């Protein structure tokens, strides 16, 4: 009887060990898949940021054409939007709104109803979603001031130069949500320090 009991205990322990090993292997594979996807998303944002490293401002048409060239619907259908948020000083908000309303580079009618929203808290600067693709499905976000979100940490994004996801700075942490932003900077000097990055910051690209 003792021999049978020992054998049963041993078999049960082996089954548990095998199940635990299988679970750990599956979890490892999931982590690797998420990390790989996160790296591919980061690479895309690096490329998108490079679009803004030009002496002249990037136009809405240039942004749209660049996103079209990525062929995301076929190559990465999990990405539902690619966008650019522009840094705007409070004193320049009305001028900024007029500029966007009169932008006829894609739509001959411009965007006469464009306005920055929400305007809950006075702030020295705002970060406004101004380029969004695909515009047809993301137009409701056109003009959102992302700095008004409770979880927004754009000051940290500007100074760090790192990726931001759901309000958190991101390194290689595969468990984090795959919604990313990356700062865009004027390429007119050094970006080595937080102060230099903050002074050169013009906005951010995201997905």
């Amino acid at each position: 009887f003792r021999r049978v009991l020992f054998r049963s205990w041993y078999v049960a322990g082996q089954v548990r060990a095998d199940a635990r090993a299988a679970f750990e292997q599956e979890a490892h594979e999931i982590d690797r898949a998420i990390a790989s996807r996160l790296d591919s998303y980061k690479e895309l944002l690096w490329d998108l940021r490079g679009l803004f490293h030009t002496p002249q401002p990037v136009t809405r048409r240039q942004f749209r054409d660049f996103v079209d060239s990525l062929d995301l619907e076929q190559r990465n259908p999990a990405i539902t939007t690619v966008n650019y948020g522009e840094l705007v000083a409070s004193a320049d908000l009305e001028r900024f709104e007029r500029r966007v309303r009169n932008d006829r580079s894609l739509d001959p009618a411009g965007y006469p109803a464009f306005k920055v929203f929400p305007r809950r808290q006075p702030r020295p600067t705002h970060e406004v979603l101004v380029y969004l693709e695909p515009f047809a499905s993301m137009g409701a976000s056109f003009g959102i001031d992302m700095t008004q979100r409770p979880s927004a940490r754009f000051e940290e994004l500007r100074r760090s130069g790192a990726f931001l996801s759901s309000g958190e700075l991101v390194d290689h942490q595969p468990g984090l949500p795959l919604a990313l932003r990356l700062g865009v900077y004027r390429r007119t000097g050094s970006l080595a320090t937080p102060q230099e990055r903050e002074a050169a910051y013009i906005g951010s690209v995201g997905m």
Side-chain angles (χ1 to χ4, degrees), residues 1-169:
F1 175 76
R2 290 180 180 176
R3 185 177 299 172
V4 171
L5 185 62
F6 174 79
R7 185 178 301 166
S8 298
W9 173 84
Y10 176 80
V11 169
Q14 197 64 34
V15 169
R16 286 195 297 271
D18 290 347
R20 184 164 52 249
F23 173 80
E24 291 174 352
Q25 178 64 27
E26 183 177 357
H28 179 66
E29 291 298 326
I30 291 173
D31 280 352
R32 284 178 53 189
I34 293 175
S36 176
R37 180 175 295 182
L38 181 58
D39 285 343
S40 71
Y41 286 12
K42 287 181 176 183
E43 189 68 29
L44 188 150
L45 287 185
W46 280 112
D47 291 343
L48 188 60
R49 181 165 82 169
L51 176 67
F52 290 84
H53 292 167
T54 60
Q56 299 300 320
V58 173
T59 67
R60 189 176 304 277
R61 180 175 293 278
Q62 288 172 325
F63 186 86
R64 196 274 311 270
D65 290 348
F66 181 85
V67 175
D68 283 351
S69 74
L70 299 174
D71 194 20
L72 295 177
E73 187 174 352
Q74 296 298 321
R75 296 172 57 190
N76 211 327
I79 298 176
T80 58
T81 181
V82 178
N83 55 67
Y84 170 66
E86 184 172 334
L87 181 69
V88 185
S90 289
D92 295 332
L93 272 179
E94 291 187 6
R95 187 183 307 115
F96 170 77
E97 288 179 330
R98 288 196 299 270
R99 190 193 85 203
V100 176
R101 289 169 187 158
N102 292 322
D103 180 357
R104 295 178 173 82
S105 59
L106 284 179
D107 189 336
Y111 306 93
F114 175 80
K115 63 179 179 179
V116 176
F117 71 98
R119 295 194 183 182
R120 300 191 194 99
Q121 304 175 12
R123 300 180 58 87
T125 60
H126 309 264
E127 189 146 342
V128 183
L129 283 179
V130 64
Y131 295 163
L132 304 97
E133 293 297 334
F135 190 82
S137 60
M138 299 305 300
S141 298
F142 186 34
I144 281 183
D145 177 8
M146 295 181 288
T147 63
Q148 297 285 353
R149 294 173 177 171
S151 62
R153 294 172 61 186
F154 283 90
E155 290 81 2
E156 196 167 355
L157 173 65
R158 298 173 196 175
R159 293 172 62 85
S160 70
F163 289 89
L164 180 142
S165 176
S166 299
E168 298 294 335
L169 293 175

